[in-house]
Amino acid sequence: MKENKKDNTESEIPYLITVQNLNAFYSDFQALKNINLNIKPFTVMAFIGPSGCGKSTLIRIFNRMNDYIDGFRIEGNVIISGEDIYSKTVHTENLRKQVGMVFQKPNPFPKSIFDNVAYGLKIQGIKDKKFIEERVEKSLKQVVLWDEVKDNLKKNAYGLSGGQQQRLCIARTLAVEPSIVLMDEPTSALDPISTAKIEDLIFELKNKYTIVIVTHNMQQAARISDQTAFFYLGEMIEVGKTQQIFTNPKQKRTENYISGHFG
Amino acid sequence: MTNIQLNRAKDKMFATWGVVSTFFGIILLAVFIIFILYDGLPRLSWQFLVSLPSRKPENAGVYTAMMGTIWILGLTLLFALPLGIAAAVYLEEYIPKGKFATILEINISNLAGVPSIIYGLLGLQLFARTMKFGGNLLAGSFTLSLLILPIIIVATREAIRAVPSSIKDASFALGATKWQTIWLQVLPSAFGGIMTGLILALSRAVGEAAPLIVVGALAYVPFAPKSPMDEYSVLPIQIFNWISRPQHGFVVNAAAAIIILLVITFTMNAIAVFLRNKHQKKTN
């Protein structure tokens, strides 16, 4: 990782992610309007807001998953670890090793549990069996799935429960050792017990990773995040410490949304 | 009659018509198969399978035609499969959307409806004459490859489209390239669908006589082909040849050969159904 060359006058810790004057478009539709945002390393940043507010668009900008959508384009800068990720010299393959992603629905590959976790390493051309085995075990232990699956590593991942599948997907992401983990509503398809396990996990993971999470669940944002950003109709209305956003929001619209008046 | 009674009567009439329509084709096919079995089954024997063609019906066998069919199937598979899959992958995953793509797609779908004799004439000019293959297996299997390519492409595209985008997203998000995603995730997931399409296409190819007659398959070949450059006959042409003979013994031979052809086709269809079911179970 390169050093962050930018001067950060507001803080002594360099920001890991910096978004400057960002506009995003799907053909003619503007999905994000003039977003400015900084995210510190080893924190959890939650994006909240009603459907269609642009929060998923923004999280998918961080690992350039929107590149596959016809007509999508951005203006402005997104700097991760001091590098503009939309500059021509950046390869998305390298970016995504550094910025992993967990999706809304658990989406394991139709392969064995082991192969799911090993996939990210294998596509990098890593052939060292012992190294892969160790990394798979380490990643599965990180998501507290190891004890449940260690005797069934050869079994198809589709046989796992929804919550186990989602933890497997997180392990798969961690196996390539990213510095940032993006989570796009990771618990919206899960039952409360599985959700609680994932939330505990996120709390553990922020010691080693920077996490950006999109959630529709207000309590979840309040429970697990350090910072919260509220989006509405493509604009970032407010961003700040989670406790401040939930107890003492500066904007009327944030307050209305959090208290359940709309959204 | 009240309105309700009238509607009920209409309902019944339609139901009856539906039953008739459903069983029309099946019954005709069943009658045909029964006749064929009645004529041909007694003639079927190991001897019949391994005998060369002969002027005497009781000595004649399907060996050369059957080997010709197997050669043609194998070679057609060899040529059509890589081309078909590559074309389908390109059309689904790589081609930039626009007018060019639309025109290409419409044309490929239309190609599937071109009569097989036209492919035969194309093969005659292109492979037999211009490329100077003459009437050998190579010319025949190239021609049949052209014939079934559109079917394979359409089936493969559908199979690729059925792969959930969530799997592709997961692969991309881990830093995989497009090619890695296609090779390691999309194609293995689409395997069942591709195989189904391929086998259905091949079972169409196995029954084709017209295009092969045009590109020079022979009705009488004294020996089974040993290389792609050899002359050949295939089962449908052998059947056609026997049926046009005056002696009754050849008609019996034709019935027996039809049974063999049907067994090959039904087996291939059964494999296709098996692969599809297996694939469905895996993805659900």
Side-chain angles (χ1 to χ4, degrees):
Chain A
M1 253 188 281
K2 287 184 191 169
E3 281 295 306
N4 195 337
K5 293 174 207 130
K6 300 265 166 200
D7 289 326
N8 293 298
T9 41
E10 303 111 322
S11 165
E12 289 145 26
I13 312 161
Y15 294 119
L16 187 58
I17 304 175
T18 303
V19 179
Q20 294 168 331
N21 306 323
L22 178 74
N23 293 300
F25 303 86
Y26 296 105
S27 297
D28 297 333
F29 174 72
Q30 186 166 4
L32 288 172
K33 293 167 192 162
N34 196 31
I35 306 290
N36 286 284
L37 180 70
N38 294 308
I39 300 174
K40 285 181 198 163
F42 308 115
T43 56
V44 178
M45 163 67 86
F47 290 171
I48 60 170
S51 298
C53 68
K55 57 193 188 310
S56 283
T57 302
L58 182 57
I59 202 175
R60 283 165 166 266
I61 280 174
F62 293 152
N63 67 343
R64 291 184 57 175
M65 282 301 276
N66 289 327
D67 286 15
Y68 303 107
I69 297 168
D70 286 324
F72 182 82
R73 64 192 169 85
I74 68 153
E75 292 164 359
N77 297 316
V78 181
I79 295 149
I80 293 180
S81 305
E83 202 169 11
D84 184 346
I85 60 164
Y86 277 85
S87 87
K88 288 216 168 76
T89 52
V90 169
H91 291 291
T92 50
E93 293 85 13
N94 287 329
L95 171 69
R96 288 172 191 157
K97 273 179 231 158
Q98 195 198 333
V99 186
M101 184 167 220
V102 178
F103 295 84
Q104 191 169 351
K105 269 193 188 166
N107 57 351
F109 301 124
K111 294 168 177 263
S112 73
I113 293 167
F114 184 91
D115 286 344
N116 260 281
V117 185
Y119 184 76
L121 302 170
K122 281 182 182 162
I123 56 173
Q124 289 178 26
I126 296 169
K127 297 227 162 61
D128 185 348
K129 260 193 170 177
K130 202 160 171 260
F131 176 82
I132 293 177
E133 276 169 19
E134 282 170 4
R135 190 67 77 77
V136 168
E137 181 174 342
K138 184 183 158 204
S139 308
L140 286 170
K141 278 179 176 163
Q142 271 182 296
V143 299
V144 207
L145 193 59
W146 177 250
D147 289 333
E148 292 161 60
V149 300
K150 64 182 177 204
D151 301 322
N152 298 316
L153 290 175
K154 290 266 179 308
K155 276 203 180 148
N156 195 307
Y158 281 23
L160 298 174
S161 74
Q164 287 174 320
Q165 285 187 10
Q166 193 63 306
R167 276 183 283 153
L168 177 69
C169 290
I170 297 173
R172 179 174 72 182
T173 306
L174 300 183
V176 292
E177 301 203 321
S179 56
I180 299 167
V181 179
L182 309 173
M183 297 186 168
D184 191 354
E185 297 180 46
T187 61
S188 63
L190 304 180
D191 63 84
I193 294 171
S194 304
T195 300
K197 281 186 183 168
I198 303 263
E199 286 183 7
D200 290 345
L201 188 57
I202 291 171
F203 207 76
E204 283 294 313
L205 290 178
K206 80 170 178 184
N207 295 322
K208 283 187 171 174
Y209 307 89
T210 305
I211 294 165
V212 184
I213 181 168
V214 165
T215 179
H216 273 293
N217 182 334
M218 225 70 64
Q219 289 81 14
Q220 182 169 67
R223 278 194 298 265
I224 60 173
S225 69
D226 304 305
Q227 302 267 318
T228 298
F230 170 60
F231 292 81
Y232 184 62
L233 296 177
E235 287 178 71
M236 192 174 73
I237 306 295
E238 190 170 352
V239 62
K241 285 212 164 72
T242 297
Q243 206 192 350
Q244 175 252 312
I245 293 279
F246 279 91
T247 55
N248 187 21
K250 289 183 185 126
Q251 300 284 330
K252 191 76 190 146
R253 278 179 292 187
T254 314
E255 193 185 332
N256 284 346
Y257 182 69
I258 286 164
S259 55
H261 286 307
F262 78 97
Chain B
M1 209 189 271
T2 66
N3 214 359
I4 291 175
Q5 281 173 319
L6 190 71
N7 280 340
R8 289 240 169 118
K10 275 187 195 165
D11 201 36
K12 243 186 189 155
M13 263 165 61
F14 184 78
T16 318
W17 176 239
V19 170
V20 173
S21 312
T22 310
F23 284 95
F24 184 73
I26 294 176
I27 288 173
L28 273 187
L29 188 67
V31 169
F32 167 75
I33 288 177
I34 288 166
F35 274 117
I36 293 291
L37 287 177
Y38 180 77
D39 281 343
L41 261 192
R43 183 71 182 87
L44 270 187
S45 65
W46 184 246
Q47 197 58 37
F48 183 69
L49 288 179
V50 297
S51 292
L52 300 172
S54 163
R55 272 181 295 128
K56 292 178 191 147
E58 60 275 19
N59 292 341
V62 287
Y63 184 66
T64 54
M66 208 168 65
M67 291 314 285
T69 289
I70 291 169
W71 268 98
I72 281 278
L73 271 184
L75 289 174
T76 305
L77 175 77
L78 200 67
F79 302 139
L81 187 64
L83 284 177
I85 292 181
V89 166
Y90 173 70
L91 287 172
E92 273 308 305
E93 304 283 352
Y94 283 96
I95 198 169
K97 295 213 162 49
K99 269 202 179 124
F100 175 66
T102 317
I103 292 170
L104 214 58
E105 279 171 23
I106 292 172
N107 274 295
I108 286 175
S109 309
N110 280 343
L111 279 179
V114 172
S116 57
I117 189 84
I118 307 287
Y119 281 103
L121 292 171
L122 173 69
L124 174 68
Q125 185 57 40
L126 191 62
F127 304 129
R129 293 194 181 142
T130 310
M131 293 167 80
K132 296 200 167 50
F133 287 148
N136 64 17
L137 278 167
L138 221 46
S141 46
F142 275 151
T143 306
L144 285 187
S145 301
L146 284 185
L147 178 76
I148 64 169
L149 254 181
I151 308 175
I152 295 180
I153 292 173
V154 170
T156 305
R157 290 188 63 185
E158 268 165 31
I160 289 175
R161 225 173 298 155
V163 176
S165 62
S166 63
I167 288 178
K168 284 196 264 181
D169 282 348
S171 177
F172 284 132
L174 286 164
T177 60
K178 207 163 192 177
W179 171 244
Q180 286 174 325
T181 302
I182 290 167
W183 185 247
L184 297 170
Q185 299 298 340
V186 176
L187 288 180
S189 292
F191 178 79
I194 295 172
M195 282 301 121
T196 310
L198 176 75
I199 289 166
L200 291 180
L202 281 179
S203 58
R204 170 163 180 204
V206 83
E208 285 290 349
L212 291 181
I213 291 177
V214 179
V215 288
L218 302 174
Y220 175 77
V221 187
F223 299 106
K226 294 207 165 50
S227 86
M229 309 309 281
D230 287 344
E231 293 177 323
Y232 65 101
S233 183
V234 289
L235 281 170
I237 295 178
Q238 182 72 74
I239 292 165
F240 177 69
N241 171 261
W242 276 340
I243 285 175
S244 27
R245 300 281 189 94
Q247 299 101 311
H248 178 70
F250 279 117
V251 176
V252 175
N253 282 358
I258 288 173
I259 295 174
I260 295 170
L261 188 59
L262 282 177
V263 167
I264 294 177
T265 326
F266 286 165
T267 311
M268 288 172 74
N269 278 299
I271 295 172
V273 171
F274 172 75
L275 284 176
R276 184 163 41 203
N277 289 347
K278 201 175 151 193
H279 176 67
Q280 272 169 355
K281 253 183 225 153
K282 216 169 104 187
T283 44
N284 284 345

